[in-house]
Amino acid sequence: MAAIGSSPTEPMMIRVFKESSELEVWKRTHTGRYALLKTYPICKWSGALGPKIQEGDYQSPEGFYDVTPALMNPKSNYFLSFNVGFPNKFDQAWGRTGSYLMIHGDCKSVGCYAMTDDGIKELYAMVRESFRGGNRSVQLQLLPFRMTEANLARHAASPHAPFWRNLKEGTDIFDRTLQLPAVDVCEKRYVFNRTGAALLDPNGTCPVAPLSTMAAL
């Protein structure tokens, strides 16, 4: 099944929801916007709701990541896999550690997202075809739950609530525009759709966003 007006080589985005153990594949259509292609059950993830902090904590990561061709692993011990790109710029700013965090086959997880062999076979092929179309990366939005106000209110007492509120800024942009937010990090937090070519210092002060950018947030 293909998204309306989309082809296998079009850009794609993957969303993971821990709490409901779901993985969504979104594809860009002829309109330039993204449409939901398919939802897969996640067979197993490990740890609890919340980000990965350090090597050995058994946490599956949360945040915004980019899968590149170099992170694809066709010879995985778990049939097929691709690395989520942890630790990213945000994780590094917080001194977080961990390695080999994957989306893979089988149904075992030590900090990964296990999709079963059948699930990863389809998912891996879709990511590969997107790269064959010349796309440099696939955005991953690894989320604790669907980022609704009701769900944030349910988890308001969590020490991770401010982090999740920050993630919601990016997911809200996608939900409203159906286009991928540009992601960067400053002041040790995610920022989205900031103008200018220069990459931000993850530990530095966030530049004042132009009014047009602020409106988009």
Side-chain angles (χ1 to χ4, degrees), residues 33-190:
R33 298 189 174 201
Y34 282 70
L36 180 63
L37 174 64
K38 188 169 182 177
T39 301
Y40 293 88
I42 297 171
C43 190
K44 181 72 174 178
W45 55 272
S46 63
L49 298 184
K52 184 170 186 64
I53 304 299
Q54 63 186 17
E55 186 86 55
D57 64 7
Y58 298 99
Q59 280 289 106
S60 298
E62 296 173 8
F64 288 81
Y65 297 87
D66 287 307
V67 176
T68 62
L71 296 179
M72 303 290 280
N73 182 14
K75 298 180 180 180
S76 172
N77 291 332
Y78 297 95
F79 185 46
L80 295 168
S81 68
F82 51 86
N83 195 307
V84 304
F86 182 98
N88 65 9
K89 188 175 180 178
F90 176 94
D91 303 316
Q92 292 170 19
W94 284 93
R96 295 176 178 172
T97 58
S99 55
Y100 305 110
L101 281 303
M102 306 281 185
I103 295 177
H104 61 62
D106 209 330
C107 194
K108 302 173 184 177
S109 172
V110 184
C112 298
Y113 292 96
M115 301 301 299
T116 76
D117 289 356
D118 287 342
I120 195 63
K121 184 176 180 180
E122 286 190 22
L123 187 58
Y124 190 95
M126 284 190 280
V127 175
R128 182 191 62 212
E129 290 304 304
S130 183
F131 290 147
R132 285 180 177 171
N135 303 298
R136 296 181 178 180
S137 63
V138 170
Q139 186 175 103
L140 300 182
Q141 298 181 8
L142 305 181
L143 307 169
F145 38 72
R146 294 187 180 274
M147 307 304 286
T148 64
E149 288 294 341
N151 282 339
L152 286 171
R154 268 196 312 121
H155 296 283
S158 170
H160 305 303
F163 169 66
W164 292 335
R165 177 66 64 178
N166 184 205
L167 297 185
K168 189 175 187 300
E169 294 175 28
T171 61
D172 280 355
I173 292 172
F174 179 79
D175 291 340
R176 184 171 63 251
T177 66
L178 294 178
Q179 295 182 335
L180 299 185
V183 182
D184 208 336
V185 181
C186 55
E187 297 178 6
K188 299 173 74 171
R189 68 188 307 273
Y190 287 110

Side-chain angles (χ1 to χ4, degrees), residues 13-30:
M13 183 269 280
I14 295 171
R15 262 184 170 175
V16 162
F17 301 103
K18 276 184 177 177
E19 192 169 52
S20 56
S21 292
E22 294 175 289
L23 182 149
E24 295 179 343
V25 174
W26 293 72
K27 290 287 288 185
R28 193 177 70 182
T29 71
H30 70 279

